[in-house]
Every structure is written in structure tokens, then in C-alpha cells.
Amino acid sequence: MEIDILNKKENKVLDRTEVKFDCIYSGEATPKLLDVKSKLVALLDSKKDLIVVDSLQPHYGQTKASGYAKIYGSIESLENIETEHVLAKNKDAEVVEDAESEESE
């Protein structure tokens, strides 16, 4: 899987950097959102807790997907702005399982 950054824009009002990218995955299935997030963390030299992958849209008939991610300046900004369902889809599987086991107790 290869990620090409198309556009990187600073949004000072919302304390974040907005990134548009293409994900090329020849010979593979469409990558999972968390795999793309891990790759972006390494590529953009950021913390995993501060990145939110908002969307990943595959192109019909191609081994390519367009995506949109946001890198926040702080955890507080991220939690105040992002909706719960976007945060939920960006959490690791282990974190989700731990939270579910705590709720059931």
C-alpha cells in the first residue's frame, strides 16, 4: 500500500491540519481504515491519538482510494470537534473490546 499526499491545509481556527490523499493498493483488497491511519502516522510524523481518518472512498474498477484525514493539535480539540461515530471508527480493536468489557461489568 502506498499513500500519496495530494493536499495539506492548515486550519488554525479548528486547531488541525487537513490532508487529502490517494491510497494505491495494487494486488490487494481495499485497505482497512486503521491500516491507512497507521501508515499516515508514520508518513506525517504525528501521534496516533491525534489523527482521524474521516473517509476512504475506493475508485470503481481501480486499485486506488481517495481519503481525507485530520491531524489535530491536541486531544481536547479532537474530542470537542469530532462526532462520536467518527471517533469510534478510528479506535483500535483492542481499545473497543476493553471499553465494551468495562460497560458490561
XYZ file of all heavy atoms in Angstrom:
823
model
N 0.849 -1.177 0.000
C 0.000 0.000 0.000
C 0.894 1.239 0.000
O 1.842 1.333 0.760
C -0.908 -0.018 1.230
C -1.658 1.245 1.447
S -2.804 1.232 2.834
C -1.751 0.892 4.211
N 0.558 2.161 -0.863
C 1.303 3.413 -0.981
C 0.337 4.587 -0.816
O -0.779 4.546 -1.321
C 1.955 3.468 -2.362
C 2.797 4.679 -2.602
C 3.359 4.694 -4.013
O 3.676 3.623 -4.546
O 3.449 5.793 -4.573
N 0.778 5.605 -0.101
C -0.063 6.780 0.117
C 0.617 8.004 -0.486
O 1.784 8.269 -0.203
C -0.342 7.000 1.613
C -1.192 5.847 2.140
C -1.030 8.330 1.845
C -1.578 5.945 3.575
N -0.128 8.715 -1.330
C 0.348 9.962 -1.929
C -0.464 11.114 -1.348
O -1.688 11.126 -1.468
C 0.164 9.946 -3.451
C 1.030 8.906 -4.133
O 2.137 8.636 -3.631
O 0.594 8.370 -5.169
N 0.226 12.077 -0.742
C -0.440 13.253 -0.196
C -0.743 14.209 -1.349
O 0.155 14.625 -2.072
C 0.447 13.966 0.852
C 0.870 12.999 1.963
C -0.259 15.190 1.415
C -0.240 12.456 2.803
N -2.016 14.548 -1.534
C -2.417 15.447 -2.611
C -2.484 16.900 -2.148
O -2.107 17.817 -2.874
C -3.794 15.043 -3.154
C -3.915 13.628 -3.692
C -5.350 13.343 -4.091
C -2.979 13.425 -4.861
N -2.998 17.110 -0.934
C -3.220 18.459 -0.441
C -3.101 18.458 1.077
O -3.637 17.574 1.744
C -4.615 18.927 -0.869
C -4.867 20.372 -0.567
O -3.991 21.087 -0.108
N -6.091 20.811 -0.820
N -2.407 19.427 1.613
C -2.241 19.554 3.057
C -2.529 21.004 3.412
O -1.859 21.906 2.927
C -0.816 19.171 3.432
C -0.580 18.898 4.861
C 0.825 18.355 5.028
C 1.138 18.120 6.472
N 2.490 17.615 6.659
N -3.565 21.229 4.229
C -4.014 22.585 4.525
C -4.119 22.790 6.040
O -4.671 21.958 6.750
C -5.376 22.793 3.867
C -5.978 24.160 4.032
C -7.273 24.246 3.254
C -8.349 24.812 4.128
N -9.648 24.834 3.509
N -3.579 23.890 6.497
C -3.630 24.240 7.915
C -4.943 24.955 8.216
O -5.320 25.897 7.536
C -2.455 25.167 8.239
C -2.212 25.366 9.699
C -1.577 24.179 10.372
O -0.852 23.418 9.701
O -1.828 23.996 11.564
N -5.670 24.490 9.243
C -6.911 25.123 9.676
C -6.708 25.567 11.128
O -6.937 24.810 12.063
C -8.077 24.134 9.555
C -9.414 24.774 9.805
O -9.505 25.783 10.485
N -10.458 24.169 9.260
N -6.267 26.795 11.294
C -5.919 27.296 12.630
C -7.134 27.483 13.525
O -7.040 27.341 14.732
C -5.140 28.599 12.504
C -3.804 28.382 11.854
C -2.987 29.630 11.777
C -1.726 29.273 11.010
N -0.663 30.165 11.112
N -8.284 27.794 12.942
C -9.496 28.004 13.736
C -9.885 26.723 14.481
O -10.258 26.759 15.655
C -10.658 28.476 12.833
C -11.953 28.548 13.613
C -10.336 29.811 12.202
N -9.779 25.577 13.799
C -10.144 24.299 14.418
C -8.935 23.539 14.966
O -9.060 22.382 15.381
C -10.897 23.435 13.406
C -12.230 24.009 12.933
C -12.838 23.128 11.850
C -13.191 24.175 14.076
N -7.754 24.164 14.974
C -6.534 23.577 15.517
C -6.231 22.217 14.876
O -6.037 21.218 15.571
C -6.641 23.449 17.041
C -5.320 23.034 17.686
O -4.263 23.360 17.126
O -5.357 22.368 18.743
N -6.220 22.196 13.525
C -5.943 20.944 12.845
C -5.330 21.193 11.472
O -5.414 22.289 10.930
C -7.205 20.095 12.705
C -8.226 20.664 11.743
C -9.473 19.814 11.733
N -10.443 20.284 10.754
C -11.710 19.952 10.750
N -12.186 19.150 11.685
N -12.532 20.413 9.825
N -4.727 20.132 10.939
C -4.233 20.125 9.570
C -5.096 19.132 8.812
O -5.297 18.006 9.269
C -2.758 19.681 9.527
O -1.992 20.563 10.345
C -2.217 19.704 8.116
N -5.608 19.555 7.660
C -6.479 18.697 6.859
C -5.676 18.150 5.682
O -5.008 18.905 4.976
C -7.686 19.497 6.391
C -8.505 20.009 7.565
C -9.521 21.074 7.194
O -9.516 21.541 6.039
O -10.319 21.435 8.074
N -5.753 16.847 5.486
C -4.945 16.179 4.472
C -5.843 15.386 3.532
O -6.664 14.586 3.973
C -3.931 15.208 5.134
C -3.105 14.492 4.104
C -3.050 15.947 6.123
N -5.665 15.607 2.237
C -6.330 14.789 1.217
C -5.256 13.918 0.598
O -4.159 14.395 0.296
C -6.994 15.668 0.157
C -8.179 16.426 0.694
C -8.868 17.209 -0.382
C -10.049 17.972 0.235
N -10.755 18.773 -0.741
N -5.578 12.634 0.411
C -4.571 11.701 -0.070
C -5.181 10.639 -0.973
O -6.387 10.433 -0.974
C -3.858 11.037 1.109
C -4.759 10.249 2.013
C -4.976 8.898 1.793
C -5.398 10.842 3.096
C -5.813 8.165 2.625
C -6.231 10.124 3.931
C -6.435 8.771 3.683
N -4.323 10.002 -1.748
C -4.694 8.832 -2.536
C -3.964 7.638 -1.967
O -2.783 7.721 -1.612
C -4.298 8.998 -4.013
C -5.313 9.784 -4.812
O -6.458 9.934 -4.346
O -4.958 10.251 -5.903
N -4.667 6.531 -1.860
C -4.104 5.280 -1.361
C -4.104 4.290 -2.524
O -5.155 3.964 -3.067
C -4.953 4.783 -0.200
S -4.367 3.263 0.510
N -2.917 3.833 -2.922
C -2.794 2.901 -4.048
C -2.440 1.529 -3.468
O -1.472 1.383 -2.720
C -1.720 3.397 -5.026
C -2.123 4.777 -5.536
C -1.540 2.420 -6.173
C -1.004 5.591 -6.089
N -3.234 0.527 -3.810
C -3.089 -0.796 -3.193
C -3.170 -1.897 -4.243
O -4.006 -2.784 -4.158
C -4.139 -1.001 -2.099
C -5.552 -0.667 -2.521
C -6.396 -1.646 -3.028
C -6.036 0.618 -2.429
C -7.695 -1.342 -3.422
C -7.322 0.932 -2.812
C -8.144 -0.056 -3.305
O -9.425 0.253 -3.704
N -2.302 -1.876 -5.221
C -2.358 -2.853 -6.314
C -2.142 -4.275 -5.801
O -1.260 -4.549 -4.999
C -1.318 -2.513 -7.377
O -0.033 -2.473 -6.813
N -2.995 -5.179 -6.274
C -2.896 -6.585 -5.914
C -3.408 -6.917 -4.528
O -3.221 -8.032 -4.049
N -4.055 -5.998 -3.860
C -4.554 -6.226 -2.507
C -6.028 -5.831 -2.435
O -6.552 -5.212 -3.343
C -3.794 -5.354 -1.498
C -2.305 -5.480 -1.522
C -1.632 -4.418 -0.660
O -2.249 -3.948 0.315
O -0.502 -4.057 -0.981
N -6.647 -6.179 -1.337
C -8.010 -5.713 -1.079
C -7.942 -4.260 -0.619
O -6.872 -3.770 -0.248
C -8.648 -6.566 0.002
N -9.076 -3.583 -0.631
C -9.107 -2.209 -0.133
C -8.624 -2.218 1.318
O -9.124 -2.988 2.134
C -10.541 -1.639 -0.196
O -11.011 -1.735 -1.535
C -10.570 -0.187 0.261
N -7.643 -1.391 1.644
C -7.086 -1.423 2.997
C -8.095 -0.970 4.051
O -8.995 -0.183 3.768
C -5.901 -0.456 2.923
C -6.125 0.363 1.726
C -6.993 -0.408 0.801
N -7.926 -1.473 5.239
C -8.774 -1.090 6.362
C -8.396 0.323 6.813
O -7.275 0.763 6.645
C -8.602 -2.067 7.503
C -8.900 -3.505 7.120
C -9.730 -4.151 8.174
C -10.075 -5.576 7.844
N -10.882 -5.791 6.710
N -9.364 1.022 7.363
C -9.173 2.394 7.803
C -8.027 2.511 8.816
O -7.225 3.435 8.752
C -10.476 2.910 8.421
C -10.513 4.387 8.681
C -11.415 5.056 7.658
C -11.012 4.661 10.057
N -7.930 1.551 9.722
C -6.880 1.606 10.746
C -5.494 1.367 10.157
O -4.507 1.906 10.658
C -7.178 0.599 11.855
C -8.420 0.904 12.689
C -8.691 -0.209 13.681
C -8.288 2.232 13.401
N -5.401 0.557 9.075
C -4.118 0.363 8.401
C -3.663 1.652 7.728
O -2.487 2.006 7.770
C -4.213 -0.760 7.358
C -4.497 -2.115 7.985
O -4.196 -2.288 9.197
O -5.025 -2.993 7.283
N -4.598 2.343 7.113
C -4.298 3.623 6.467
C -3.873 4.639 7.531
O -2.915 5.385 7.343
C -5.506 4.143 5.662
C -5.270 5.544 5.152
C -5.812 3.199 4.512
N -4.561 4.635 8.660
C -4.231 5.557 9.751
C -2.806 5.313 10.245
O -2.046 6.257 10.441
C -5.234 5.379 10.891
C -5.011 6.309 12.053
C -6.089 6.121 13.111
C -5.836 6.984 14.317
N -6.897 6.865 15.314
N -2.419 4.054 10.412
C -1.066 3.722 10.862
C -0.018 4.203 9.864
O 1.035 4.719 10.248
C -0.928 2.213 11.058
O -1.790 1.779 12.064
N -0.316 4.034 8.596
C 0.605 4.477 7.545
C 0.729 6.007 7.544
O 1.822 6.547 7.366
C 0.098 3.970 6.201
C 1.033 4.143 5.071
C 1.999 3.004 4.976
C 2.687 3.063 3.619
N 3.588 1.983 3.412
N -0.383 6.707 7.743
C -0.361 8.169 7.800
C 0.425 8.677 9.014
O 1.114 9.694 8.931
C -1.785 8.729 7.838
C -2.534 8.758 6.515
C -3.993 9.120 6.751
C -1.896 9.721 5.541
N 0.319 7.981 10.135
C 1.069 8.365 11.339
C 2.559 8.364 11.024
O 3.281 9.309 11.350
C 0.754 7.406 12.513
C 1.756 7.581 13.641
C -0.646 7.637 13.022
N 3.033 7.305 10.357
C 4.447 7.211 10.011
C 4.833 8.249 8.949
O 5.882 8.883 9.037
C 4.758 5.812 9.506
N 3.976 8.423 7.962
C 4.270 9.324 6.851
C 4.275 10.795 7.274
O 5.133 11.569 6.851
C 3.240 9.107 5.738
C 3.468 9.801 4.417
C 4.739 9.279 3.756
C 2.292 9.552 3.493
N 3.335 11.183 8.124
C 3.196 12.581 8.534
C 3.897 12.887 9.856
O 3.840 14.009 10.339
C 1.718 12.954 8.625
C 0.948 12.830 7.319
C -0.547 12.991 7.550
C 1.449 13.842 6.309
N 4.530 11.882 10.459
C 5.265 12.040 11.714
C 4.387 12.690 12.782
O 4.679 13.762 13.292
C 6.540 12.857 11.478
C 7.495 12.757 12.649
O 7.508 11.705 13.312
O 8.216 13.735 12.916
N 3.278 12.027 13.093
C 2.327 12.528 14.076
C 2.018 11.439 15.094
O 2.448 10.306 14.949
C 1.049 12.964 13.365
O 0.127 13.448 14.283
N 1.244 11.793 16.107
C 0.813 10.816 17.107
C -0.474 10.151 16.643
O -1.350 10.799 16.072
C 0.577 11.503 18.446
C 1.836 12.049 19.056
C 1.542 12.710 20.376
C 2.813 13.298 20.948
N 2.557 14.045 22.166
N -0.599 8.870 16.936
C -1.769 8.104 16.515
C -3.066 8.631 17.130
O -4.120 8.581 16.517
C -1.561 6.634 16.882
C -2.506 5.698 16.212
C -2.102 4.269 16.444
C -2.871 3.370 15.530
N -2.382 2.006 15.530
N -2.988 9.168 18.340
C -4.178 9.681 19.028
C -4.724 10.957 18.404
O -5.878 11.310 18.630
C -3.855 9.960 20.497
C -3.499 8.697 21.255
O -3.787 7.606 20.749
O -2.924 8.819 22.353
N -3.896 11.674 17.636
C -4.296 12.976 17.105
C -4.788 12.918 15.661
O -5.248 13.922 15.133
C -3.132 13.965 17.209
C -2.635 14.253 18.625
C -1.440 15.187 18.586
C -3.735 14.832 19.480
N -4.687 11.761 15.010
C -5.122 11.628 13.614
C -6.487 10.962 13.546
O -6.739 9.970 14.222
C -4.113 10.817 12.775
C -2.843 11.625 12.571
C -4.692 10.434 11.436
C -1.839 10.979 11.659
N -7.357 11.523 12.709
C -8.670 10.944 12.442
C -8.803 10.802 10.929
O -8.694 11.785 10.204
C -9.803 11.852 12.978
C -11.156 11.329 12.556
C -9.721 11.972 14.471
N -8.997 9.566 10.454
C -9.269 9.345 9.035
C -10.776 9.464 8.871
O -11.534 8.654 9.386
C -8.750 7.975 8.548
C -9.091 7.763 7.087
C -7.251 7.871 8.759
N -11.199 10.498 8.187
C -12.612 10.801 8.055
C -13.282 9.934 6.999
O -14.372 9.419 7.209
C -12.778 12.283 7.720
C -14.171 12.780 7.956
O -14.622 12.785 9.110
O -14.817 13.154 6.961
N -12.623 9.777 5.847
C -13.225 8.971 4.781
C -12.149 8.288 3.949
O -11.021 8.765 3.858
C -14.100 9.849 3.877
O -13.300 10.775 3.183
N -12.530 7.180 3.351
C -11.683 6.424 2.434
C -12.607 5.836 1.374
O -13.337 4.889 1.632
C -10.931 5.318 3.186
C -9.870 4.567 2.409
C -8.747 5.503 1.980
C -9.308 3.436 3.245
N -12.611 6.430 0.193
C -13.542 6.058 -0.872
C -12.806 5.358 -2.017
O -12.024 5.995 -2.715
C -14.237 7.303 -1.425
C -15.082 8.032 -0.419
C -16.284 7.205 0.005
O -16.884 6.521 -0.798
N -16.608 7.261 1.279
N -13.052 4.061 -2.226
C -12.413 3.364 -3.342
C -12.945 3.862 -4.685
O -14.093 4.257 -4.802
C -12.801 1.903 -3.134
C -13.520 1.821 -1.850
C -13.867 3.194 -1.408
N -12.082 3.836 -5.686
C -12.473 4.192 -7.052
C -12.929 2.915 -7.758
O -12.238 1.899 -7.709
C -11.289 4.802 -7.817
C -10.877 6.140 -7.299
N -10.996 7.278 -8.033
C -10.357 6.523 -6.101
C -10.553 8.304 -7.333
N -10.161 7.862 -6.151
N -14.057 2.983 -8.413
C -14.617 1.815 -9.088
C -13.672 1.332 -10.186
O -13.249 2.104 -11.042
C -15.982 2.157 -9.691
C -16.640 0.984 -10.371
C -17.230 -0.016 -9.626
C -16.627 0.867 -11.750
C -17.828 -1.093 -10.229
C -17.211 -0.214 -12.373
C -17.811 -1.190 -11.608
O -18.389 -2.269 -12.212
N -13.335 0.036 -10.163
C -12.516 -0.580 -11.202
C -11.042 -0.262 -11.108
O -10.277 -0.611 -12.001
N -10.612 0.384 -10.052
C -9.199 0.731 -9.885
C -8.720 0.272 -8.515
O -9.515 0.094 -7.605
C -8.999 2.247 -9.988
C -9.399 2.850 -11.306
C -9.204 4.362 -11.291
O -8.527 4.927 -10.449
N -9.832 5.030 -12.246
N -7.420 0.108 -8.395
C -6.846 -0.250 -7.098
C -6.347 1.029 -6.421
O -5.179 1.180 -6.098
C -5.696 -1.257 -7.274
O -4.742 -0.698 -8.175
C -6.199 -2.576 -7.795
N -7.276 1.915 -6.221
C -6.962 3.230 -5.669
C -8.159 3.729 -4.862
O -9.297 3.446 -5.200
C -6.675 4.182 -6.837
C -6.379 5.595 -6.491
C -6.067 6.344 -7.784
C -6.199 7.823 -7.615
N -5.939 8.553 -8.838
N -7.876 4.436 -3.785
C -8.932 5.032 -2.971
C -8.515 6.451 -2.595
O -7.338 6.717 -2.365
C -9.168 4.211 -1.708
N -9.477 7.353 -2.548
C -9.217 8.731 -2.117
C -9.631 8.857 -0.662
O -10.653 8.318 -0.250
C -10.028 9.715 -2.959
O -9.603 9.680 -4.288
N -8.835 9.591 0.095
C -9.130 9.718 1.508
C -8.960 11.131 2.025
O -8.357 11.986 1.371
N -9.521 11.349 3.206
C -9.461 12.643 3.881
C -9.180 12.381 5.353
O -9.888 11.595 6.002
C -10.794 13.370 3.694
C -10.919 14.676 4.422
C -10.105 15.746 4.111
C -11.865 14.838 5.426
C -10.231 16.955 4.776
C -12.007 16.042 6.089
C -11.179 17.099 5.758
O -11.298 18.294 6.420
N -8.128 13.011 5.870
C -7.752 12.832 7.269
C -7.527 14.184 7.922
O -7.249 15.179 7.243
C -6.486 11.990 7.372
N -7.658 14.212 9.253
C -7.448 15.431 10.015
C -6.455 15.148 11.135
O -6.600 14.147 11.844
C -8.766 15.922 10.600
C -9.801 16.251 9.546
C -11.136 16.560 10.178
C -12.105 15.486 9.801
N -13.433 15.643 10.315
N -5.473 16.018 11.272
C -4.473 15.888 12.331
C -4.676 17.047 13.292
O -4.465 18.203 12.935
C -3.044 15.927 11.761
C -2.896 14.903 10.650
C -2.021 15.689 12.866
C -1.722 15.122 9.762
N -5.075 16.747 14.499
C -5.375 17.777 15.487
C -4.134 18.161 16.289
O -3.208 17.361 16.456
C -6.483 17.301 16.429
C -7.838 17.355 15.776
C -8.332 16.278 15.059
C -8.605 18.504 15.837
C -9.568 16.340 14.426
C -9.841 18.585 15.215
C -10.309 17.496 14.508
O -11.523 17.581 13.887
N -4.151 19.371 16.819
C -3.045 19.873 17.621
C -3.081 19.358 19.049
O -2.054 19.296 19.714
N -4.268 18.980 19.525
C -4.392 18.473 20.894
C -5.584 17.525 20.997
O -6.499 17.567 20.175
C -4.584 19.626 21.884
O -5.834 20.241 21.680
N -5.560 16.689 22.014
C -6.652 15.748 22.272
C -7.946 16.498 22.564
O -9.025 16.097 22.137
C -6.301 14.824 23.465
C -5.139 13.910 23.102
C -7.491 14.015 23.917
C -5.473 12.786 22.168
N -7.837 17.619 23.287
C -9.023 18.400 23.636
C -9.738 18.905 22.380
O -10.959 18.843 22.289
C -8.648 19.593 24.535
C -8.158 19.203 25.905
C -6.695 18.778 25.920
O -5.907 19.227 25.049
O -6.350 17.968 26.780
N -8.976 19.412 21.422
C -9.569 19.898 20.169
C -10.274 18.765 19.443
O -11.389 18.925 18.943
C -8.497 20.482 19.252
O -7.882 21.577 19.838
N -9.628 17.613 19.391
C -10.191 16.454 18.708
C -11.512 16.034 19.346
O -12.511 15.834 18.654
C -9.190 15.288 18.749
C -9.618 14.018 18.076
C -8.495 13.500 17.196
C -9.986 12.972 19.095
N -11.543 15.936 20.667
C -12.745 15.476 21.358
C -13.879 16.500 21.295
O -15.051 16.119 21.278
C -12.407 15.141 22.811
C -11.558 13.896 22.926
C -11.081 13.627 24.340
O -11.189 14.532 25.200
O -10.577 12.519 24.564
N -13.556 17.783 21.236
C -14.593 18.815 21.171
C -15.227 18.930 19.791
O -16.387 19.318 19.676
C -14.023 20.176 21.580
C -13.745 20.270 23.048
O -14.361 19.579 23.851
N -12.804 21.116 23.414
N -14.487 18.606 18.740
C -14.956 18.829 17.379
C -15.533 17.574 16.729
O -16.593 17.625 16.111
C -13.816 19.410 16.511
C -13.426 20.791 17.054
C -14.216 19.480 15.051
C -12.161 21.354 16.464
N -14.864 16.455 16.859
C -15.279 15.239 16.155
C -16.514 14.600 16.774
O -16.700 14.636 17.985
C -14.137 14.213 16.119
C -13.001 14.605 15.212
C -13.401 14.764 13.764
O -14.306 14.063 13.279
O -12.796 15.617 13.097
N -17.331 13.991 15.914
C -18.523 13.290 16.388
C -18.141 11.908 16.918
O -17.082 11.379 16.595
C -19.549 13.147 15.250
O -18.934 12.463 14.166
C -20.032 14.501 14.787
N -19.034 11.331 17.712
C -18.748 10.041 18.350
C -18.529 8.921 17.339
O -17.662 8.079 17.532
C -19.881 9.664 19.299
C -19.891 10.492 20.556
C -20.948 10.025 21.533
O -21.280 8.818 21.539
O -21.448 10.879 22.273
N -19.317 8.882 16.263
C -19.172 7.776 15.323
C -17.855 7.852 14.552
O -17.273 6.821 14.225
C -20.372 7.697 14.364
C -20.362 8.691 13.268
N -20.804 9.983 13.428
C -19.957 8.585 11.972
C -20.668 10.631 12.279
N -20.155 9.817 11.387
N -17.344 9.044 14.295
C -16.048 9.182 13.623
C -14.939 8.738 14.569
O -14.009 8.028 14.161
C -15.818 10.640 13.146
C -14.406 10.824 12.627
C -16.817 11.010 12.074
N -15.034 9.111 15.827
C -14.046 8.668 16.811
C -14.083 7.156 16.997
O -13.049 6.511 17.124
C -14.283 9.369 18.152
C -14.023 10.876 18.184
C -14.435 11.446 19.535
C -12.578 11.182 17.882
N -15.284 6.574 16.978
C -15.430 5.128 17.171
C -14.787 4.344 16.033
O -14.137 3.324 16.272
C -16.898 4.764 17.295
N -14.951 4.794 14.811
C -14.380 4.042 13.687
C -12.873 4.213 13.580
O -12.222 3.459 12.879
C -15.066 4.407 12.366
C -14.714 5.738 11.787
C -15.450 5.937 10.471
C -15.050 7.247 9.822
N -15.735 7.499 8.589
N -12.295 5.160 14.312
C -10.853 5.370 14.303
C -10.146 4.753 15.505
O -8.952 4.932 15.666
C -10.545 6.871 14.250
C -10.565 7.405 12.846
O -9.569 7.352 12.141
N -11.715 7.879 12.421
N -10.877 4.039 16.359
C -10.264 3.395 17.517
C -9.769 2.010 17.151
O -10.356 1.313 16.331
C -11.267 3.283 18.665
C -11.527 4.606 19.298
C -12.176 4.452 20.626
C -12.318 5.844 21.209
N -13.060 5.927 22.394
N -8.680 1.604 17.812
C -8.140 0.263 17.610
C -9.098 -0.785 18.160
O -9.856 -0.525 19.086
C -6.791 0.118 18.320
C -5.699 0.922 17.632
O -5.804 1.141 16.415
O -4.743 1.320 18.313
N -9.019 -1.988 17.631
C -9.903 -3.070 18.047
C -9.721 -3.398 19.525
O -10.688 -3.675 20.227
C -9.663 -4.312 17.201
N -8.467 -3.375 20.036
C -8.229 -3.704 21.443
C -8.902 -2.671 22.344
O -9.465 -3.005 23.371
C -6.736 -3.729 21.774
C -5.929 -4.693 20.964
C -5.230 -4.017 19.794
O -4.814 -2.854 19.911
O -5.124 -4.663 18.755
N -8.843 -1.408 21.968
C -9.442 -0.340 22.770
C -10.955 -0.502 22.811
O -11.582 -0.356 23.853
C -9.052 1.049 22.198
C -9.782 2.149 22.945
C -7.553 1.255 22.275
N -11.559 -0.843 21.685
C -13.012 -1.038 21.615
C -13.429 -2.226 22.480
O -14.400 -2.163 23.214
C -13.467 -1.225 20.145
C -14.928 -1.605 20.085
C -13.209 0.043 19.353
N -12.682 -3.331 22.423
C -13.009 -4.515 23.221
C -12.906 -4.207 24.712
O -13.739 -4.633 25.497
C -12.076 -5.669 22.851
C -12.375 -6.262 21.489
C -11.358 -7.306 21.073
O -10.494 -7.679 21.890
O -11.423 -7.745 19.923
N -11.881 -3.454 25.118
C -11.714 -3.084 26.530
C -12.884 -2.230 26.998
O -13.409 -2.432 28.083
C -10.400 -2.326 26.740
C -9.185 -3.220 26.574
O -9.355 -4.456 26.617
O -8.068 -2.676 26.403
N -13.304 -1.288 26.191
C -14.410 -0.399 26.553
C -15.722 -1.185 26.674
O -16.511 -0.958 27.580
C -14.563 0.714 25.514
N -15.941 -2.143 25.772
C -17.156 -2.949 25.817
C -17.171 -3.844 27.055
O -18.207 -4.034 27.683
C -17.282 -3.803 24.548
C -17.641 -2.975 23.327
C -17.656 -3.813 22.061
O -17.292 -5.011 22.105
O -18.014 -3.267 21.013
N -16.025 -4.406 27.431
C -15.982 -5.272 28.606
C -16.211 -4.456 29.891
O -16.812 -4.940 30.830
C -14.657 -6.030 28.686
O -13.585 -5.141 28.888
N -15.732 -3.204 29.921
C -15.956 -2.346 31.085
C -17.428 -1.955 31.207
O -17.969 -1.870 32.299
C -15.095 -1.088 30.989
C -13.643 -1.351 31.223
C -12.783 -0.111 31.017
O -13.354 0.977 30.811
O -11.554 -0.249 31.078
N -18.093 -1.730 30.069
C -19.510 -1.355 30.097
C -20.396 -2.508 30.566
O -21.391 -2.308 31.219
C -19.964 -0.916 28.694
C -19.405 0.424 28.288
C -19.782 0.782 26.859
O -20.536 0.022 26.207
O -19.331 1.832 26.379
N -20.029 -3.739 30.242
C -20.848 -4.890 30.599
C -20.726 -5.246 32.090
O -21.567 -5.936 32.629
C -20.480 -6.096 29.738
O -19.134 -6.487 29.992
N -19.687 -4.772 32.741
C -19.492 -5.091 34.170
C -20.335 -4.264 35.077
O -20.873 -3.331 34.972
C -18.011 -4.906 34.554
C -17.142 -5.921 33.889
C -15.670 -5.705 34.209
O -15.315 -4.732 34.898
O -14.873 -6.509 33.754
